[in-house]
Amino acid sequence: MKFSWRLILYFGFAGVAASIFLTLLRMINANFAYSFFAICGNFFVNALSAYVLTVLVCVVVMWSLIRINRILPWKEYPVLRFSADIIITPLVAMLVMLPLAFLTYEIGFDYAHPDLKKHVTNELVTALVVDLILVGIYEGYYFFTLWKNSLIRNEQLEKENLAARYETLKNQINPHFLFNSLNTVSALIHEDPNKAEDFIDEFSKMYRFLLEHQDKNLHLLRDELTFVKSYMDLQQIRFGRSLITSIAIDDKKLDYLIPTLSLQLLVENAIKHNKVTVEKPLSISIKEENGMIVVKNTLQLRAESLKSTGIGLNNLNARYEMLASLKPVFLKSDKEYIAKLPLIQEE
């Protein structure tokens, strides 16, 4: 919450209301043993002093809260922040009010309270109450904003997930892809029936996986590797010697988790944006290094510019941040493109 004069001025009116109520109680207890003008003067002067004092205390407390928020943010120092809220701000409020209480007593602002000790005590209690209410509003606003942003973030992530799933399905079933696949099958049936059968098997595995698992955010690495292997085998049959693929993952890592379709997305991007020819074969490797799955491909960008929505990688970043507070790493050099996906341990 930023410094708000409007909020502070509203607090001033709240202080006036509280002052009028307390003054009325004191007058009732004293059976209104004052003249009419004295009673009116007491109400007016107490209301005015209450407004000024409340505003001054609010300004100092609000300034203190903003400074504390910069030095001790909740995310990094929750215990120290809580301690500062309940110890430092009340002390600051009472230290500000203390000299003001003596001043108002000497000036005679509260002549319904002839006792100095009682007057100062009441003013300090007032400062403490104002501080607690202001701290409650300030921190309540912070946590409400945090909760609201979390809801918005979840909604955005869900939309991105739906968009990414749609994009993946659309890419897999677009007419060009199906046309190439059917042509490949048609050619293989005459040239190599066994290979044609393998192609159809891999094709069916890939689509079965998509239909059965597309609604899940995380998958076991072993399942993701099974799917991406089917996808790579399809592309291998399509491009032949122009595409070189390899997968080297330790069996101990296969029960870790990884975002759904993340490996296929990276392999698809590599094929989509790079030349795949016999003269310049495209090499794609998948391996594990230091708790991360590393997908690496040779960089030989196509001359023509291909349209890209950017949904895939943005979604991958968002899913990692949301599901595990981790970040994938994307590196690019003159010769290769490298993507590193952190493995997630199942709880």
Side-chain angles (χ1 to χ4, degrees):
M1 179 187 290
K2 296 181 180 180
F3 193 92
S4 173
W5 278 108
R6 179 178 295 181
L7 177 63
I8 289 173
L9 295 178
Y10 285 160
F11 258 86
F13 288 115
V16 169
S19 173
I20 292 175
F21 176 73
L22 293 174
T23 303
L24 181 61
L25 288 180
R26 291 200 296 268
M27 290 297 178
I28 292 173
N29 291 333
N31 295 320
F32 293 95
Y34 299 94
S35 67
F36 175 76
F37 291 104
I39 292 174
C40 291
N42 197 277
F43 272 103
F44 175 78
V45 171
N46 280 341
L48 179 63
S49 64
Y51 187 86
V52 173
L53 296 180
T54 302
V55 168
L56 288 175
V57 170
C58 284
V59 168
V60 175
V61 171
M62 181 69 84
W63 180 84
S64 300
L65 284 169
I66 292 172
R67 296 293 297 176
I68 290 173
N69 188 50
R70 291 175 182 173
I71 298 172
L72 301 172
W74 275 107
K75 290 183 179 180
E76 298 178 20
Y77 309 100
V79 176
L80 290 176
R81 175 58 181 272
F82 178 75
S83 302
D85 281 349
I86 63 173
I87 296 175
I88 295 178
T89 59
L91 286 176
V92 169
M94 288 189 289
L95 286 174
V96 171
M97 181 60 83
L98 187 61
L100 296 175
F102 282 105
L103 179 63
T104 54
Y105 182 82
E106 292 298 328
I107 296 176
F109 274 7
D110 195 0
Y111 44 81
H113 265 158
D115 182 69
L116 173 61
K117 182 179 179 180
K118 193 172 183 180
H119 171 77
V120 172
T121 301
N122 285 341
E123 295 299 292
L124 292 180
V125 170
T126 300
L128 181 60
V129 171
V130 169
D131 170 78
L132 292 177
I133 295 174
L134 190 57
V135 169
I137 292 176
Y138 184 91
E139 300 299 0
Y141 178 82
Y142 168 79
F143 285 108
F144 172 76
T145 303
L146 203 65
W147 171 75
K148 183 176 70 173
N149 290 340
S150 177
L151 289 181
I152 294 173
R153 189 179 176 190
N154 287 341
E155 185 177 351
Q156 289 175 340
L157 180 59
E158 184 62 28
K159 289 180 179 178
E160 289 179 356
N161 279 337
L162 291 174
R165 290 170 190 159
Y166 171 75
E167 188 75 11
T168 300
L169 289 173
K170 185 180 71 174
N171 287 339
Q172 299 304 323
I173 63 175
N174 70 70
H176 182 68
F177 179 80
L178 289 177
F179 179 77
N180 286 335
S181 299
L182 292 174
N183 276 345
T184 302
V185 172
S186 178
L188 288 174
I189 287 175
H190 298 289
E191 297 174 7
D192 191 337
N194 292 329
K195 189 174 285 188
E197 186 177 348
D198 292 339
F199 185 95
I200 293 172
D201 286 343
E202 297 300 333
F203 194 83
S204 63
K205 287 179 185 177
M206 189 178 68
Y207 271 89
R208 189 182 301 118
F209 183 93
L210 281 172
L211 294 174
E212 292 178 354
H213 304 289
Q214 61 174 320
D215 291 331
K216 296 181 180 179
N217 286 323
L218 288 171
H219 265 143
L220 290 175
L221 177 59
R222 66 172 71 250
D223 294 333
E224 283 296 306
L225 288 174
T226 299
F227 174 71
V228 79
K229 187 178 184 302
S230 295
Y231 181 80
M232 291 169 74
D233 287 345
L234 277 181
Q235 302 303 319
Q236 186 74 61
I237 294 171
R238 176 184 170 189
F239 291 106
R241 292 181 300 168
S242 300
L243 181 64
I244 302 170
T245 63
S246 65
I247 298 177
I249 304 291
D250 190 336
D251 289 345
K252 296 179 181 178
K253 303 294 182 179
L254 295 180
D255 289 327
Y256 280 74
L257 298 172
I258 196 169
T260 305
L261 303 179
S262 53
L263 295 179
Q264 185 271 342
L265 168 69
L266 296 173
V267 173
E268 181 184 6
N269 279 351
I271 296 173
K272 180 179 179 182
H273 296 290
N274 291 280
K275 296 176 183 177
V276 188
T277 64
V278 176
E279 294 76 18
K280 280 193 171 183
L282 178 66
S283 175
I284 303 175
S285 65
I286 301 176
K287 59 183 179 179
E288 186 270 334
E289 291 180 357
N290 301 320
M292 302 185 85
I293 297 299
V294 180
V295 181
K296 184 185 301 184
N297 65 266
T298 50
L299 194 64
Q300 42 202 45
L301 297 175
R302 296 175 183 267
E304 67 275 15
S305 176
L306 294 176
K307 290 184 178 179
S308 176
T309 62
I311 289 176
L313 295 184
N314 289 335
N315 174 262
L316 198 54
N317 275 312
R319 281 195 287 167
Y320 260 108
E321 185 177 355
M322 183 66 189
L323 298 170
S325 297
L326 298 170
K327 287 187 177 182
V329 178
F330 303 106
L331 304 171
K332 184 178 179 182
S333 68
D334 294 335
K335 295 183 178 180
E336 58 186 11
Y337 184 86
I338 303 172
K340 297 183 178 181
L341 306 183
L343 288 172
I344 302 170
Q345 275 191 306
E346 190 170 9
E347 295 181 357

